[in-house]
Amino acid sequence: QDNSPLPSSCVSTLPNGDIHVAVARYRTAQGKFETVSDIYKVNALSNLLEKITTVPTSGATSCAFLQYHDPNDMSNTTFLAFANQLNNRGESNINSIVFRWVDGAYSSFQTIPTKTVTDVVAIGRESFAFANHRDGQTGKYNVPVSVWNINGQNAAITHTQDIAVQGSYKLSIYGDVSSATSWLSISSTDTDYANEAPI
């Protein structure tokens, strides 16, 4: 039985009006997790997808675009995060990765430490949240959802918050992207106490 995650994709409209679609590739047909994920652009005339590039990912389970607006110089920058779950050695405590769209290309911007990550979402215009499902070394599900904040188009992304949860699996965001308030919904599938019951 193939327990691979279902294919995941994300879409965003860039500041120039172009529409980009990224597809998170979990593994190759040969079972390799260290591979590439594809990024497409919607052709404005034909409405068909045109591949514009591939980026290196490792067991990618999810992706998310973020349109960062710099309040200092009023510029807009596109970031794209991939949740990397597994490498070819079977390790799941690995780095996820954030790319930045610069001069017509996606370039690696920063890696984010994650643990058997299952999902990533953008929160508003400044943050990414990563759903860490399980510690790949201890096997424990008591790992938090981690929130990382973009501090500028060229500044490092910083870890700003851990949200305590057991076995997080799916993240959903509610609220207007332009609003100061967003709600993060966290779905969990496993806990360290799943086999315990009150006596």
Side-chain angles (χ1 to χ4, degrees), residues 28-176:
T28 66
Q30 294 74 35
K32 300 296 184 182
F33 297 98
E34 296 171 27
T35 180
V36 294
S37 291
D38 300 324
I39 303 175
Y40 300 85
K41 173 184 174 181
V42 176
N43 185 302
L45 297 178
S46 66
N47 284 326
L48 298 176
L49 294 177
E50 299 175 348
K51 185 188 292 187
I52 55 175
T53 191
T54 59
V55 293
T57 55
S58 187
T61 55
S62 180
C63 59
F65 283 98
L66 186 151
Q67 301 299 336
Y68 175 75
H69 177 73
D70 193 320
N72 297 314
D73 61 10
M74 305 305 288
S75 63
N76 296 287
T77 305
T78 299
F79 290 91
L80 171 59
F82 283 90
N84 287 336
Q85 186 182 89
L86 204 61
N87 63 22
N88 290 341
R89 296 179 297 280
E91 299 165 332
S92 59
N93 288 3
I94 62 174
N95 288 333
S96 292
I97 190 165
V98 177
F99 296 90
R100 183 179 58 171
W101 177 253
V102 179
D103 297 329
Y106 283 96
S107 59
S108 176
F109 185 74
Q110 185 174 323
T111 58
I112 305 292
T114 49
K115 296 180 178 182
T116 319
V117 65
T118 53
D119 201 8
V120 59
V121 295
I123 303 175
R125 296 182 181 272
E126 295 183 349
S127 302
F128 285 112
F130 292 84
N132 295 298
H133 181 67
R134 178 177 59 88
D135 189 315
Q137 294 183 339
T138 67
K140 297 294 186 179
Y141 294 99
N142 187 25
V143 288
V145 170
S146 60
V147 179
W148 294 74
N149 195 68
I150 295 175
N151 302 291
Q153 56 183 321
N154 297 306
I157 302 173
T158 55
H159 181 207
T160 56
Q161 185 180 4
D162 279 333
I163 302 172
V165 67
Q166 293 261 343
S168 62
Y169 185 76
K170 183 68 178 173
L171 305 176
S172 299
I173 289 291
Y174 302 93
D176 187 349

Side-chain angles (χ1 to χ4, degrees), residues 166-199:
Q166 293 261 343
S168 62
Y169 185 76
K170 183 68 178 173
L171 305 176
S172 299
I173 289 291
Y174 302 93
D176 187 349
V177 69
S178 61
S179 171
T181 302
S182 296
W183 291 266
L184 175 64
S185 171
I186 303 171
S187 299
S188 299
T189 59
D190 296 284
T191 74
D192 293 329
Y193 315 106
N195 297 320
E196 295 185 6
I199 298 174

